[in-house]
Amino acid sequence: MTEKIFEMRHIDKLYGSLLANDDVSIHLNQGEILCLVGENGAGKSTIMKILYGLEPPTDGEIYVKGEKVHFHTPSDAMAKGIGMVQQHFMLFENMTVAENIVFKNEIRNGLFMDRKRTIETVKALSEKYGLKIDPEAKIEDCPVGLRQRVEILKILYQSAEIIIFDEPSAVLTPLEVESLLDTIKSLAASGKSIVLITHKLQEVMAVADRIYVMRAGQVVAERLRSETDTNELAYLMVGHHPALRDISAPKPGEVLLESKKLSLHYEGRDILKDIDLHVNAGEVVGIAGVSGNGQTELELCLTGLQKPTGGQVFLMGKDVTNASVKEHREGGLAYISEDRYLWGSAGEGSLAENVLMAKENRAEFNRHGFLNQAAINNYTKELIRRFNVKAGDTDQKIRELSGGNAQKLITAREIMMDTPVLICCEPTRGIDIGAMEFIHDQILEKREQGCGVLLVSSELSEIMTLSDRIYVLFEGKIAGEFKRGSIDEKELGMVMLGGKRE
Amino acid sequence: MNKFKKFGSKFLEALGQPFVAILISLGIGAIIIGLSGKDILASYGVMLKGAFGDGYYLSATLQRSTALIMGGLAVCIAWRSGYEAMGGEGQMIFGALVSALISYYMPGPGVLKILVGLAGASLVGAVYSVLSGWLWEKFNVTFIISTLMLNYIANYIASYLTTYIVKDPQSRDINSIQTGKLIEEARFGKVGGLFQSEGLKNTPLGLYFKDFNVHWGFFFSLICAVLVYILLKKTKFGYQSKMNGLNSRFALYGGINAHRMLYLVMILSGIAAGLGGAFEVYGSKYRYIDQMIFSTGYAWSGMVGALLANFDPFGTVLACILLAGLNTGGSAMQRSAGIPVETVNMLEGIIMLLMSVKLLHLIVIRHKVRREDRKKTEELIKNGKEAEA
């Protein structure tokens, strides 16, 4: 059982001047579940991409079953029995499950594909590993969890021995996660060897045999599951103990933002249906939900970017249902979009230009239509300094900043709008823990100042930590409203999936 | 020092592509001249002299560049805001025709004829430009298609009018398709006699400028470039239009009114092109002659100029003067070196092609971003469907 099925020795990987992997040595034993944990950007995906032939290593050696290998493409890796389930699925939407699974290794009948035998084979495969699917369903009709299952079967069909999962739970609902973890365990039991990349420690403790912790491109620790716990792993990942927040009791004031029977009907479907919500002064209100349940449309409707088809929105007591974005902003709303590149910034624009957005009418920057460039530059510098953004000069392009620093600058811009209401959507998606803590501090600071914050996030822990009140959004409707402390993460997860609270 | 270095590298970055494009095209031109058995250096020498060699040639180049600059500025305004409109030609045609007609038929003093004519050219340019913006907003007709087709429509409408309706009443030649000639007072004056005072007359400067004689239109186009520069680089409008061009969703998110932005940009761009046509009438032709804009390719050369300069107004002026020089110099090369003017047309074609790589790149990137946006929206809706299922 302790045969090393692969081993990577002293791997370095250089992207430009960034050392993504620094002398990484790891191995995987036969039939083992190995977890690679670490923050975003710790280098865990990189090392597995190297193993899977997606990236060449800058230096180092790779052995599979004791034999030295050089992979140039994923097909090379596949030929040696290594398969990878990537975060972004590589499936043909308009083809069936079975067709996707046998793609490139079709079962032929002379020149043509033998559909009957294909379906039988896929069915047998699915039964063998207990991965239930309908071989004849179209991929476009499958939810994310099923698509992932198809990816796994695709790899199994190509008789992979080693299966790498790259953040597989990121796209799944809590229930789907549980079923995935069961799958992983049964795959290992049937003799496959597994590498699981994740930063969710509960998953690690549920399935891992052995764990590597990575930080800043290096392996900083190796642990057996039996000899560690989530506290130690979190400490190893971050390098310090995450700060525990002491949040004062809320002192809610008058209603600042309110929606009444807000609805959005689109192409015969109710995207949003009768949303009643309100945000008071001095509180953080969370919108929880599995993404795709109407959050995006809700934020667009509340900010004036999308006109609702029914109901009303009130901002500071004024009806703004059909008002322009400008009227919303002038009426006291700042808004951090869920997608910092799609909506929240102009990548090719300079830092100063990105900071100026929605402030170009202010007297300090604008005299009779002419912009005061010096004042804008100084203001940008001040924001960069106060919000600790790692950036060069004010005419640097914002796309050159890392995701976390770009998000910090956008957060800075919106916080410094100094508005009574802040709508903040996925403010910490894809950024590291340091920047995340900083942004959380800013949100709580806003609350202390007596502003109302609406926080939309698919990250449950973020919602649980920051919100005084939580609305759960499910299929475009409010499925429940909870005060801080009146519900735990598990129950909230149930409500998010449309279940009732027990 | 650092600032200087930064400015230097920015300068290089801005000039790198145009410089390489011109260099490559001159290189290919040299090969062709060489293959036809002519002396390469001598031919290019003739070309340079024929473009900028003395006051006379310089005047020809600058006069030709006038319409190019105005067309280029129109492109700067529209493209920087994210609207890839190529309707400068049609707007220029109507601008030229309308100004020629107003100043020919309207009674009154010459200055008034010119002023009303310029106003008419601006108006018709703006209206014609807005038409393509409207087609885009209402019916989702891409700018490339609508503006190209509108150019043809403008040209043939102008042809029809000059052939049948507003044909020059004085003309006896059945083949001359043109409007009546403007009276002397309703034309642009000329600037000449620079450095010709007694003291300077015989200095090299005085000798160079001896035959210099350029109509006001060129200087008006320089003033327009300064105005456009200020508008685009120094004002709130310039900032908002640039953001709209870089990421239109970001502009919406910040509260910029997209509808207003579109029409403002189309109006300003149309005015610039319309005036370009009028300048050509008041400065050079003194009437509208059938095909005078279409066959000369003013608008297209202007667009190449704007692309060469990456939509910087001053850069556009420079590039347009260079492109005009290529043309006047080419004619000289044909006259004295016996190299067909087609060679020069080819050079401009090559430059255009090389710059088009960038144009293509620009359009492809924008469309890619739009495609991705669309995909993202579709995904959002689909996710909604899953959640419902």
Side-chain angles (χ1 to χ4, degrees), chain A residues 287-304:
Chain A
I287 302 278
V290 179
S291 58
N293 273 288
Q295 290 94 327
T296 307
E297 291 80 2
L298 179 64
E299 69 174 82
L300 296 182
C301 284
L302 291 178
T303 51

Side-chain angles (χ1 to χ4, degrees), chain B residues 70-381:
Chain B
M70 295 309 288
L73 292 176
V75 169
C76 287
I77 297 169
W79 286 53
R80 220 176 81 110
S81 319
Y83 307 117
E84 295 121 352
M86 305 185 184
E89 189 154 70
Q91 295 144 27
M92 230 182 240
I93 289 169
F94 277 145
L97 178 66
V98 165
S99 61
L101 292 178
I102 288 176
S103 300
Y104 183 72
Y105 289 105
M106 198 188 82
V111 183
L112 190 68
K113 281 172 181 258
I114 293 182
L115 285 178
V116 177
L118 289 175
S122 308
L123 184 71
V124 72
V127 168
Y128 209 52
S129 169
V130 160
L131 182 60
S132 58
W134 179 75
L135 284 171
W136 180 71
E137 197 184 39
K138 260 275 177 303
F139 304 107
N140 216 359
V141 185
T142 56
F143 276 109
I144 297 172
I145 307 250
S146 69
T147 50
L148 281 177
M149 294 303 118
L150 286 171
N151 289 346
Y152 280 102
I153 294 170
N155 189 45
Y156 290 117
I157 289 179
S159 264
Y160 174 80
L161 291 177
T162 38
T163 311
Y164 298 108
I165 315 284
V166 290
K167 196 169 164 122
D168 180 7
Q170 260 109 48
S171 167
R172 302 206 175 91
D173 182 357
I174 191 105
N175 289 321
S176 69
I177 306 172
Q178 56 192 19
T179 64
K181 194 165 193 177
L182 303 183
I183 55 166
E184 194 93 20
E185 292 76 37
R187 301 174 189 170
F188 280 163
K190 298 231 176 191
V191 177
L194 292 175
F195 310 110
Q196 298 305 312
S197 63
E198 267 319 307
L200 286 170
K201 203 172 166 184
N202 288 317
T203 60
L205 202 66
L207 289 173
Y208 181 86
F209 278 100
K210 192 161 160 278
D211 295 317
F212 183 82
N213 203 19
V214 174
H215 66 72
W216 295 343
F218 172 71
F219 300 97
F220 290 153
S221 76
L222 293 186
I223 293 171
C224 288
V226 173
L227 292 177
V228 170
Y229 175 83
I230 293 171
L231 181 75
L232 294 186
K233 305 272 173 147
K234 302 285 173 198
T235 68
K236 185 184 97 175
F237 168 80
Y239 166 73
Q240 293 187 330
S241 78
K242 183 177 177 193
M243 291 302 111
N244 193 56
L246 292 180
N247 179 357
S248 57
R249 281 174 188 250
F250 180 51
L252 281 177
Y253 158 96
I256 294 170
N257 185 336
H259 177 77
R260 191 167 156 263
M261 179 60 65
L262 168 68
Y263 287 109
L264 218 66
V265 163
M266 295 321 280
I267 287 172
L268 288 172
S269 160
I271 289 176
L275 283 177
F279 289 176
E280 191 62 15
V281 167
Y282 293 123
S284 307
K285 306 287 195 308
Y286 310 133
R287 55 166 38 127
Y288 182 80
I289 305 168
D290 186 33
Q291 309 291 341
M292 70 181 254
I293 306 284
F294 205 71
S295 62
T296 46
Y298 287 144
W300 295 106
S301 297
M303 195 172 97
V304 175
L307 277 167
L308 275 166
N310 199 19
F311 314 125
D312 177 85
F314 292 152
T316 301
V317 169
L318 252 155
C320 287
I321 292 175
L322 269 177
L323 287 168
L326 198 64
N327 208 285
T328 47
S331 312
M333 198 160 77
Q334 176 170 24
R335 281 194 306 273
S336 43
I339 291 166
V341 78
E342 281 74 19
T343 312
V344 170
N345 292 344
M346 201 187 63
L347 292 192
E348 196 174 349
I350 292 166
I351 296 181
M352 198 154 176
L353 200 68
L354 289 171
M355 294 314 294
S356 303
V357 175
K358 184 170 141 193
L359 183 145
L360 218 75
H361 174 78
L362 220 96
I363 293 179
V364 166
I365 284 189
R366 281 187 184 158
H367 281 241
K368 206 173 139 199
V369 169
R370 276 181 207 152
R371 236 192 349 261
E372 275 164 10
D373 285 1
R374 226 183 4 248
K375 218 170 116 192
K376 231 167 203 169
T377 322
E378 277 165 13
E379 235 158 59
L380 287 172
I381 292 169

Side-chain angles (χ1 to χ4, degrees), chain A residues 54-243:
Chain A
L54 282 166
E55 299 274 357
T58 310
D59 198 11
E61 293 163 344
I62 305 172
Y63 297 86
V64 174
K65 292 179 187 162
E67 175 196 348
K68 190 168 175 183
V69 293
H70 296 279
F71 295 148
H72 300 290
T73 65
S75 329
D76 297 347
M78 204 67 233
K80 290 282 175 201
I82 301 174
M84 184 159 173
V85 179
Q86 307 217 33
Q87 278 186 48
H88 305 284
F89 304 145
M90 317 278 182
L91 298 171
F92 298 105
E93 297 263 314
N94 50 4
M95 295 177 84
T96 67
V97 167
E99 284 163 346
N100 268 285
I101 289 173
V102 300
F103 174 67
K104 271 187 168 172
N105 295 292
E106 294 85 358
I107 300 167
R108 284 164 197 278
N109 181 6
L111 263 179
F112 302 102
M113 187 170 155
D114 187 338
R115 276 172 207 285
K116 211 174 137 209
R117 216 142 52 83
T118 302
I119 289 167
E120 279 165 14
T121 314
V122 168
K123 225 177 225 164
L125 193 71
S126 116
E127 273 158 22
K128 181 177 168 196
Y129 290 102
L131 290 166
K132 261 202 260 164
I133 43 124
D134 171 8
E136 290 171 83
K138 286 238 167 97
I139 293 293
E140 58 195 6
D141 300 325
C142 294
V144 182
L146 270 186
R147 289 179 193 212
Q148 192 173 54
R149 215 171 270 179
V150 174
E151 283 279 358
I152 299 171
L153 282 168
K154 202 164 101 183
I155 289 165
L156 290 171
Y157 176 73
Q158 296 176 53
S159 50
E161 304 265 316
I162 302 169
I163 305 175
I164 305 164
F165 290 90
D166 188 3
E167 304 267 2
S169 62
V171 291
L172 301 182
T173 62
L175 212 67
E176 286 173 324
V177 172
E178 246 173 66
S179 129
L180 170 75
L181 295 179
D182 287 341
T183 304
I184 289 177
K185 276 191 263 186
S186 75
L187 285 173
S190 73
K192 306 284 179 195
S193 311
I194 311 279
V195 181
L196 175 63
I197 303 173
T198 182
H199 59 238
K200 297 191 177 154
L201 298 175
Q202 300 94 316
E203 291 168 18
V204 175
M205 295 314 285
V207 296
D209 295 315
R210 200 159 51 88
I211 300 146
Y212 286 113
V213 183
M214 291 190 71
R215 191 166 74 224
Q218 291 174 313
V219 171
V220 291
E222 180 187 354
R223 295 281 186 279
L224 291 174
R225 190 205 29 202
S226 47
E227 61 182 33
T228 187
D229 57 36
T230 48
N231 277 340
E232 191 199 18
L233 289 176
Y235 173 74
L236 289 168
M237 267 167 69
V238 189
H240 63 88
H241 285 288

